[in-house]
Amino acid sequence: MAVQTKIPVFQEGSERLLEREAQLSNIHAGMWLAATVESSIGPKGRRKILYDLSTGQVRATKDGATILTNISITHPVAQLVADAAMAQDENVGDGTKSVAILAGKLLENAEELLKLGLEPNRIIDGYRFAMERAIDITEEISDTLDYEDKEALKKIARGAMSTKLSSVALTKYENIVLEAIDYLRVNVAPEGEPEKYDIEFDNLKVMGKLGGSIEDTEMFDGVIVDGEVARSDMPRKIRHAAVALIARSIEVEIPVEKVRVETVEKFDEFVA
């Protein structure tokens, strides 16, 4: 006679949810994450105080990416919403909170549709149709940006950086962004067609140095070699210098001689 052994699948104290109850639990988790960042959006948004348990560091921020990367998320659906928002930040550099809030509102409306008796698949189909329609409308109302319109570029730069920088630093940084665009833009249109510009981000490198303040940031057109002086008496600044690029080591190798010393007298003679 075979004996059936019960193998525990869930940890002790776990709660199992089925069907509609599980759906609502997932929806509320995503809505909670959206509500966490929603109160920090806009000019009247409130900063979040983040406390690092490992280092004890405390900081206040309105930046969506910083908030999402520093809060502990355990629910898988909430993590999906956070991942979608972080993907926006990695690809565009802005709009992190907007993605999280949009996802939260879609989940909130989905809850109402579920209560009306609609099946999840029908709701998904409706959202997919709405997405396709929204893309079409966006293409219809979109406008081409003129790289020579500096004021429009400044507004875009200021909007993207407003939650990350102080109002004092914003003025300087928006000018740095415009300067970088002038350096990095290239015409990608085929010969004979109207100009079409793109940004070569591979030619841009952001370097951080200890000391100073954020207002000390500057745009540099050229190549920066991050190295240290070999001796303390070497000059720190050379103007109009000739630079040699050598693709191999130029360190001086000091030969090491093997000496066998058998007595103290011999050692004294060698040192002398």
Side-chain angles (χ1 to χ4, degrees), residues 207-219:
M207 298 181 64
K209 284 294 182 181
L210 293 176
S213 65
I214 195 170
E215 283 80 12
D216 295 326
T217 304
E218 60 180 284
M219 175 72 186

Side-chain angles (χ1 to χ4, degrees), residues 118-144:
L118 271 72
E119 293 296 324
N121 288 339
R122 298 298 301 274
I123 298 175
I124 294 171
D125 291 339
Y127 277 167
R128 184 174 288 112
F129 174 80
M131 177 193 68
E132 295 172 353
R133 184 70 184 115
I135 293 174
D136 293 337
I137 294 175
T138 302
E139 292 178 349
E140 292 173 3
I141 65 176
S142 63
D143 195 8
T144 302

